[in-house]
Every structure is written in structure tokens, then in C-alpha cells.
Amino acid sequence: MVDGINPAQSPADLRLERRIFAASHGRDLTPEERETLERIRPPRTYPVWLAVQSYDGPIAMLPIAQLYVRDVPDLSPPEGKDLLQVLWCPFDHPIMPRTLLFWRSAAAVTDILDTPPEPPAVQFDGYLPEACVLEPEQITEYPDHLELSEELREQLKQWSVPQAAEEDMDPDTYYDCVLSNAPGWKVGGWPAWDAADPSPQHCSECGTGMEVLMTIATFEEGDDVGNSWSPHPHPGAGPYPGHRGYNATGVQIGSGYRQHLFVCPAEPEHPHIELMT
């Protein structure tokens, strides 16, 4: 269902809107472009009609990521699987899209569709990903400072004083900016706790402590001054309307958050957990 406050748009219209904004960057919109944009998003009249729109029957899900173990060796797939496909429903469930994980054998994927099915509508522009080619890079990061003991935090603060002085940075934020969670999309690593307190996640099937499988992020670089995690942007990579910063995927989680997918390390095919931070 879609509420009347945020009318859903078709994937085709959202892609057309993005092309218009990209083509008109640095100049005024043409009359034809304005007309097209007003067709896609007609001017609202208030009060907003608070009805709901529903779609009968199943709708297609959108692909979010396709990862091969040969490219991302830390995936730790189930026995005999070497491919992970992540799909999501582009509507809130209730505050973010619901994801499905498919662990597969790449050799068994032979019947490939030239034009995969798409849903009739998408709730938010940020729920329609732009196609991107991955260039995986393995890095080392450390837990969020909120997951550390007070004693260790104090030790890190003292250690950071001379390091931060060299970079003209605040010692209180040096660890978070330089060593802790890398922003952006990633596989594995540590969760960020910007919008929530640290909370251990446990498998609903076996009780095993769950680990981050992947992070779906709004931005590829952090907002903190001096943040050392910064990708090399490709020509034409974002930003898109409603987005700030480098955003090649066009995805927006909430108001600029991350969606973490936790899986059971004992059995990756057990139900996973989604958490927005």
C-alpha cells in the first residue's frame, strides 16, 4: 500500500526524472522538461488526500546487489553456493524496504532474462537503485566507539591527541572519522550506531549471535570533517534529486541512514534481520 502523502511513481518515470535533472545540471529547465516533470509530479493541492493506494496480487521485487564469492571472498556462503542475490520490495515495511536473500550456485543460473520484471510503482525515488558496476576493495575497520568499553574509549582518546593534531582534527572524533566504521555500501565489517544504541542481534532459529552481511547506505562518504573514508567517484555518479553527497546508487534509506542486513554465521540461510541506523 502507498499513502496519499507520498504518491508512488513508476520506475520508468523516476528514471526519466533523473535523466532530466542530470541533463539540466547548471542550466535552466526547458519548457518541455518542466512540462514532463509536472506530469511526473503534479503540483499538490492541500489538504492532501489521505487515501491509500493498493496493488492486488504479487509485485516484482527490485535487485539491490549481486555478489560473487570470487569477488568478495568474505561472503561465507552456504555449502555449494558462490553467488548472493539481494532483492527488495520498494515500499516501507514499515520504515524501510523489506529484503530477500538468495544464495545460489552461479553455474546453475543459465536462464537469464533480458528484461527482468519490475513493480508497477515505487514508493520513494530512493527505493529505485541505479545500476552500478562494483569495484570491490578490501579494507580494515574497527567497531563503533559505542561498542567499546569506557576504559578503551579513554585510551583511544589519549592516543588520538597527537594523531589528531597532525591532521588538525578533534581528538574526540578522530577514531570515528579515521578508524571506525567506513561509510557507504559494504559487505561484512561493523555496524554503525548513528541513530540507535548498540544492540546484539541473535538468530531466531538457533540463537547464534548474528553478524553484518552487508550494509545498504545512502552515501558513499561520511559527513564528518576530516573523514578519511572517501571513494573515487565516477563521471556522472549522482547526486540525484533529494540526495546530498556522492551517491552512485541513487538509494536513500530514511533521511540518509543505513540499512544493515544481519545473518547467522552458523547457517546463512536462517532468517536474516534488517536494522536501520
Side-chain angles (χ1 to χ4, degrees), residues 2 6 9 25 42 46 59 63 74 128 134 138 146 148 160 167 184 197 208 213 226 235 250 257 259 265 267:
V2 183
N6 299 290
Q9 307 290 340
H25 182 69
Y46 293 90
I59 65 171
D74 291 337
L128 177 66
L134 298 176
Q138 193 168 35
L146 294 176
L148 306 178
S160 298
E167 303 291 335
D197 292 329
T208 301
L213 169 68
Y257 296 110
Q259 183 171 347
E267 180 47 71

Side-chain angles (χ1 to χ4, degrees), residues 100 171 227:
L100 290 179
N227 194 296

